[in-house]
């Protein structure tokens, strides 16, 4: 198997192609790669080998057979060379566990991604990291607080990690960029060529230029609801401390909190008005023992700096 021209493709080019198959989440990809090498798996899927169908039925008896058929059809219509070219186009890079550039915080994670697609500075990750998360439907109080925390942290050399969503995420990264300090880290749920939400396109570009953008979704991957919780586990894994600025009792922020606790990460919360639905989740976290954030100094202390 060879790549473009006479240059052979690296083995993880097939991992990249596998990750773009329909419904190929991190757990299915791990199950496939635990059984075969990436080139072997691609060959088996593209030839409709029964062992693939058997594995998928073992994972999910209800959808396994249909999934195997969809993979076979998609695999036969997909060029590994094309996927690889799209992944490394425009300054992109691909990293895998054990390889250069793979985030240290993910190397020993309880559920590490089998592959990451990146754009930006490969040296952005080493250093203290804080995830700032919260609701998309934030108040002025929430967005202002997130912006100020992002700026203060980045100004002190602390990397701000977020999901580049609307609301709190965007405000935190805008603040980090305004500080012109530590590089921001953006973890997204789509392919790096599919900006979501679209209105954050400029912010995506700024983060890629000044820091690092990363995703486990292959190029061309669009919006799928299940990818956001999967993305949030990476946010929590990369952060030493997770700060929830403003959040209702349910939502993506609470999933990030759950994943952070699963990884023994410190969870902090910004107090909000007791009458505001947008602060119901953060206030509940405080009632359950989360450390309150009354200023950036509280976060710095939690980091042990």
């Amino acid at each position: 198997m060879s790549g473009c021209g006479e240059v052979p493709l690296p083995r993880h080019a097939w991992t990249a192609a596998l990750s773009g198959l329909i419904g190929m989440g991190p757990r299915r990809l791990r199950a496939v790669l635990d059984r075969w090498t990436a080139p072997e798996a691609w060959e088996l899927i593209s030839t409709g080998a029964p062992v693939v169908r058997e594995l998928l039925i073992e994972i999910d008896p209800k959808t396994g057979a249909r999934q195997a058929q969809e993979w076979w059809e998609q695999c036969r219509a997909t060029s590994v060379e094309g996927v690889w070219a799209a992944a490394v186009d425009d300054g992109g890079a691909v990293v895998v566990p054990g390889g250069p550039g793979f985030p240290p915080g993910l190397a020993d994670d309880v559920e590490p991604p089998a592959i990451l697609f990146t754009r930006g500075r490969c040296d952005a990750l080493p250093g203290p990291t804080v995830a700032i998360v919260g609701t998309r439907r934030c108040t002025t109080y929430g967005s202002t607080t997130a912006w100020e925390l992002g700026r203060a942290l980045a100004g002190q050399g602390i990397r701000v990690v977020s999901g580049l969503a609307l609301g709190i995420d965007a405000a935190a990264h805008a603040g980090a960029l305004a500080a012109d300090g530590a590089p921001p880290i953006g973890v997204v749920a789509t392919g790096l060529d599919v900006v979501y939400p679209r209105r954050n396109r400029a912010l995506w570009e700024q983060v890629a230029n000044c820091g690092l953008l990363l995703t486990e979704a292959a190029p061309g991957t669009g919006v799928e609801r299940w990818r956001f919780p999967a993305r949030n586990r990476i946010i929590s894994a990369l952060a030493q401390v997770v700060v929830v600025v403003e959040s209702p009792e349910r939502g993506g922020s609470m999933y990030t909190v759950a994943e952070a606790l699963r990884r023994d990460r410190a969870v902090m919360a910004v107090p909000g008005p007791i009458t505001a639905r947008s602060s119901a989740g953060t206030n509940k976290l405080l009632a359950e023992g989360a450390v309150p954030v009354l200023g950036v100094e509280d976060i710095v202390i939690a980091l042990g700096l």
Side-chain angles (χ1 to χ4, degrees), residues 265-285:
R265 302 294 195 265
V267 174
M268 308 181 74
V270 175
I274 61 173
T275 56
R277 180 179 177 274
S278 57
S279 289
T282 45
N283 290 339
K284 183 178 180 182
L285 287 174

PDB file of all heavy atoms in Angstrom, residues 265-285:
ATOM      1  N   ARG A 265      -9.649  15.055  38.365  1.00  0.00           N
ATOM      2  CA  ARG A 265      -9.290  16.451  38.128  1.00  0.00           C
ATOM      3  C   ARG A 265     -10.051  17.337  39.121  1.00  0.00           C
ATOM      4  O   ARG A 265     -11.177  17.027  39.505  1.00  0.00           O
ATOM      5  CB  ARG A 265      -9.639  16.892  36.706  1.00  0.00           C
ATOM      6  CG  ARG A 265      -8.989  16.089  35.608  1.00  0.00           C
ATOM      7  CD  ARG A 265      -7.471  16.264  35.597  1.00  0.00           C
ATOM      8  NE  ARG A 265      -6.906  15.774  34.352  1.00  0.00           N
ATOM      9  CZ  ARG A 265      -6.406  14.565  34.166  1.00  0.00           C
ATOM     10  NH1 ARG A 265      -6.421  13.692  35.155  1.00  0.00           N
ATOM     11  NH2 ARG A 265      -5.896  14.222  32.998  1.00  0.00           N
ATOM     12  N   ALA A 266      -9.450  18.447  39.502  1.00  0.00           N
ATOM     13  CA  ALA A 266     -10.123  19.394  40.375  1.00  0.00           C
ATOM     14  C   ALA A 266     -11.243  20.091  39.607  1.00  0.00           C
ATOM     15  O   ALA A 266     -11.061  20.491  38.450  1.00  0.00           O
ATOM     16  CB  ALA A 266      -9.124  20.421  40.891  1.00  0.00           C
ATOM     17  N   VAL A 267     -12.395  20.236  40.248  1.00  0.00           N
ATOM     18  CA  VAL A 267     -13.527  20.929  39.641  1.00  0.00           C
ATOM     19  C   VAL A 267     -13.848  22.160  40.480  1.00  0.00           C
ATOM     20  O   VAL A 267     -14.019  22.073  41.703  1.00  0.00           O
ATOM     21  CB  VAL A 267     -14.770  20.016  39.554  1.00  0.00           C
ATOM     22  CG1 VAL A 267     -15.981  20.802  39.058  1.00  0.00           C
ATOM     23  CG2 VAL A 267     -14.494  18.837  38.626  1.00  0.00           C
ATOM     24  N   MET A 268     -13.932  23.303  39.808  1.00  0.00           N
ATOM     25  CA  MET A 268     -14.241  24.563  40.468  1.00  0.00           C
ATOM     26  C   MET A 268     -15.445  25.199  39.787  1.00  0.00           C
ATOM     27  O   MET A 268     -15.757  24.871  38.638  1.00  0.00           O
ATOM     28  CB  MET A 268     -13.037  25.507  40.414  1.00  0.00           C
ATOM     29  CG  MET A 268     -11.750  24.881  40.921  1.00  0.00           C
ATOM     30  SD  MET A 268     -10.331  26.019  40.870  1.00  0.00           S
ATOM     31  CE  MET A 268     -10.720  27.096  42.252  1.00  0.00           C
ATOM     32  N   ALA A 269     -16.122  26.081  40.495  1.00  0.00           N
ATOM     33  CA  ALA A 269     -17.315  26.704  39.927  1.00  0.00           C
ATOM     34  C   ALA A 269     -17.420  28.161  40.352  1.00  0.00           C
ATOM     35  O   ALA A 269     -17.023  28.533  41.461  1.00  0.00           O
ATOM     36  CB  ALA A 269     -18.567  25.942  40.359  1.00  0.00           C
ATOM     37  N   VAL A 270     -17.951  28.973  39.454  1.00  0.00           N
ATOM     38  CA  VAL A 270     -18.187  30.394  39.723  1.00  0.00           C
ATOM     39  C   VAL A 270     -19.598  30.559  40.272  1.00  0.00           C
ATOM     40  O   VAL A 270     -20.562  30.142  39.618  1.00  0.00           O
ATOM     41  CB  VAL A 270     -18.014  31.225  38.440  1.00  0.00           C
ATOM     42  CG1 VAL A 270     -18.392  32.688  38.694  1.00  0.00           C
ATOM     43  CG2 VAL A 270     -16.580  31.125  37.922  1.00  0.00           C
ATOM     44  N   PRO A 271     -19.761  31.135  41.437  1.00  0.00           N
ATOM     45  CA  PRO A 271     -21.106  31.328  41.989  1.00  0.00           C
ATOM     46  C   PRO A 271     -21.933  32.253  41.103  1.00  0.00           C
ATOM     47  O   PRO A 271     -21.400  33.152  40.445  1.00  0.00           O
ATOM     48  CB  PRO A 271     -20.845  31.976  43.353  1.00  0.00           C
ATOM     49  CG  PRO A 271     -19.396  31.748  43.635  1.00  0.00           C
ATOM     50  CD  PRO A 271     -18.713  31.659  42.319  1.00  0.00           C
ATOM     51  N   GLY A 272     -23.250  32.019  41.094  1.00  0.00           N
ATOM     52  CA  GLY A 272     -24.149  32.866  40.324  1.00  0.00           C
ATOM     53  C   GLY A 272     -25.403  33.159  41.116  1.00  0.00           C
ATOM     54  O   GLY A 272     -25.619  32.596  42.200  1.00  0.00           O
ATOM     55  N   PRO A 273     -26.259  34.009  40.591  1.00  0.00           N
ATOM     56  CA  PRO A 273     -27.508  34.334  41.287  1.00  0.00           C
ATOM     57  C   PRO A 273     -28.343  33.075  41.515  1.00  0.00           C
ATOM     58  O   PRO A 273     -28.490  32.246  40.617  1.00  0.00           O
ATOM     59  CB  PRO A 273     -28.203  35.295  40.322  1.00  0.00           C
ATOM     60  CG  PRO A 273     -27.105  35.831  39.455  1.00  0.00           C
ATOM     61  CD  PRO A 273     -26.113  34.740  39.324  1.00  0.00           C
ATOM     62  N   ILE A 274     -28.909  32.939  42.708  1.00  0.00           N
ATOM     63  CA  ILE A 274     -29.680  31.737  43.016  1.00  0.00           C
ATOM     64  C   ILE A 274     -30.999  31.692  42.246  1.00  0.00           C
ATOM     65  O   ILE A 274     -31.632  30.643  42.171  1.00  0.00           O
ATOM     66  CB  ILE A 274     -29.954  31.630  44.528  1.00  0.00           C
ATOM     67  CG1 ILE A 274     -30.778  32.831  45.016  1.00  0.00           C
ATOM     68  CG2 ILE A 274     -28.654  31.503  45.294  1.00  0.00           C
ATOM     69  CD1 ILE A 274     -31.218  32.712  46.466  1.00  0.00           C
ATOM     70  N   THR A 275     -31.395  32.805  41.645  1.00  0.00           N
ATOM     71  CA  THR A 275     -32.637  32.848  40.873  1.00  0.00           C
ATOM     72  C   THR A 275     -32.410  32.583  39.391  1.00  0.00           C
ATOM     73  O   THR A 275     -33.367  32.490  38.625  1.00  0.00           O
ATOM     74  CB  THR A 275     -33.305  34.223  41.034  1.00  0.00           C
ATOM     75  OG1 THR A 275     -32.361  35.251  40.652  1.00  0.00           O
ATOM     76  CG2 THR A 275     -33.750  34.448  42.464  1.00  0.00           C
ATOM     77  N   ALA A 276     -31.147  32.465  38.973  1.00  0.00           N
ATOM     78  CA  ALA A 276     -30.835  32.327  37.546  1.00  0.00           C
ATOM     79  C   ALA A 276     -30.700  30.860  37.158  1.00  0.00           C
ATOM     80  O   ALA A 276     -29.887  30.129  37.749  1.00  0.00           O
ATOM     81  CB  ALA A 276     -29.555  33.079  37.201  1.00  0.00           C
ATOM     82  N   ARG A 277     -31.481  30.432  36.179  1.00  0.00           N
ATOM     83  CA  ARG A 277     -31.384  29.052  35.689  1.00  0.00           C
ATOM     84  C   ARG A 277     -29.992  28.778  35.138  1.00  0.00           C
ATOM     85  O   ARG A 277     -29.473  27.663  35.258  1.00  0.00           O
ATOM     86  CB  ARG A 277     -32.430  28.814  34.606  1.00  0.00           C
ATOM     87  CG  ARG A 277     -32.420  27.404  34.021  1.00  0.00           C
ATOM     88  CD  ARG A 277     -33.490  27.211  32.971  1.00  0.00           C
ATOM     89  NE  ARG A 277     -33.427  25.887  32.384  1.00  0.00           N
ATOM     90  CZ  ARG A 277     -32.636  25.574  31.360  1.00  0.00           C
ATOM     91  NH1 ARG A 277     -31.864  26.508  30.812  1.00  0.00           N
ATOM     92  NH2 ARG A 277     -32.611  24.342  30.879  1.00  0.00           N
ATOM     93  N   SER A 278     -29.378  29.795  34.538  1.00  0.00           N
ATOM     94  CA  SER A 278     -28.060  29.620  33.931  1.00  0.00           C
ATOM     95  C   SER A 278     -26.964  29.355  34.961  1.00  0.00           C
ATOM     96  O   SER A 278     -25.869  28.932  34.609  1.00  0.00           O
ATOM     97  CB  SER A 278     -27.691  30.870  33.120  1.00  0.00           C
ATOM     98  OG  SER A 278     -27.717  32.028  33.945  1.00  0.00           O
ATOM     99  N   SER A 279     -27.252  29.594  36.246  1.00  0.00           N
ATOM    100  CA  SER A 279     -26.279  29.317  37.303  1.00  0.00           C
ATOM    101  C   SER A 279     -26.711  28.181  38.220  1.00  0.00           C
ATOM    102  O   SER A 279     -26.037  27.886  39.204  1.00  0.00           O
ATOM    103  CB  SER A 279     -26.037  30.580  38.145  1.00  0.00           C
ATOM    104  OG  SER A 279     -25.319  31.551  37.408  1.00  0.00           O
ATOM    105  N   ALA A 280     -27.824  27.528  37.895  1.00  0.00           N
ATOM    106  CA  ALA A 280     -28.321  26.461  38.761  1.00  0.00           C
ATOM    107  C   ALA A 280     -27.320  25.319  38.881  1.00  0.00           C
ATOM    108  O   ALA A 280     -27.137  24.743  39.965  1.00  0.00           O
ATOM    109  CB  ALA A 280     -29.656  25.940  38.222  1.00  0.00           C
ATOM    110  N   GLY A 281     -26.664  24.976  37.780  1.00  0.00           N
ATOM    111  CA  GLY A 281     -25.695  23.887  37.802  1.00  0.00           C
ATOM    112  C   GLY A 281     -24.443  24.234  38.583  1.00  0.00           C
ATOM    113  O   GLY A 281     -23.936  23.419  39.365  1.00  0.00           O
ATOM    114  N   THR A 282     -23.920  25.450  38.380  1.00  0.00           N
ATOM    115  CA  THR A 282     -22.712  25.851  39.097  1.00  0.00           C
ATOM    116  C   THR A 282     -22.980  25.964  40.589  1.00  0.00           C
ATOM    117  O   THR A 282     -22.177  25.535  41.416  1.00  0.00           O
ATOM    118  CB  THR A 282     -22.181  27.190  38.547  1.00  0.00           C
ATOM    119  OG1 THR A 282     -23.274  28.104  38.392  1.00  0.00           O
ATOM    120  CG2 THR A 282     -21.517  26.997  37.212  1.00  0.00           C
ATOM    121  N   ASN A 283     -24.121  26.541  40.962  1.00  0.00           N
ATOM    122  CA  ASN A 283     -24.448  26.654  42.386  1.00  0.00           C
ATOM    123  C   ASN A 283     -24.636  25.281  43.027  1.00  0.00           C
ATOM    124  O   ASN A 283     -24.271  25.063  44.185  1.00  0.00           O
ATOM    125  CB  ASN A 283     -25.702  27.505  42.568  1.00  0.00           C
ATOM    126  CG  ASN A 283     -25.448  28.971  42.252  1.00  0.00           C
ATOM    127  OD1 ASN A 283     -24.307  29.436  42.273  1.00  0.00           O
ATOM    128  ND2 ASN A 283     -26.503  29.711  41.942  1.00  0.00           N
ATOM    129  N   LYS A 284     -25.196  24.351  42.266  1.00  0.00           N
ATOM    130  CA  LYS A 284     -25.354  22.997  42.791  1.00  0.00           C
ATOM    131  C   LYS A 284     -23.988  22.339  42.995  1.00  0.00           C
ATOM    132  O   LYS A 284     -23.771  21.636  43.995  1.00  0.00           O
ATOM    133  CB  LYS A 284     -26.203  22.157  41.837  1.00  0.00           C
ATOM    134  CG  LYS A 284     -26.481  20.742  42.357  1.00  0.00           C
ATOM    135  CD  LYS A 284     -27.373  19.963  41.402  1.00  0.00           C
ATOM    136  CE  LYS A 284     -27.643  18.560  41.952  1.00  0.00           C
ATOM    137  NZ  LYS A 284     -28.476  17.760  41.021  1.00  0.00           N
ATOM    138  N   LEU A 285     -23.064  22.567  42.069  1.00  0.00           N
ATOM    139  CA  LEU A 285     -21.712  22.027  42.229  1.00  0.00           C
ATOM    140  C   LEU A 285     -21.068  22.562  43.503  1.00  0.00           C
ATOM    141  O   LEU A 285     -20.403  21.825  44.234  1.00  0.00           O
ATOM    142  CB  LEU A 285     -20.841  22.400  41.018  1.00  0.00           C
ATOM    143  CG  LEU A 285     -21.117  21.667  39.713  1.00  0.00           C
ATOM    144  CD1 LEU A 285     -20.269  22.260  38.589  1.00  0.00           C
ATOM    145  CD2 LEU A 285     -20.834  20.168  39.845  1.00  0.00           C
TER     146      LEU A 285
END
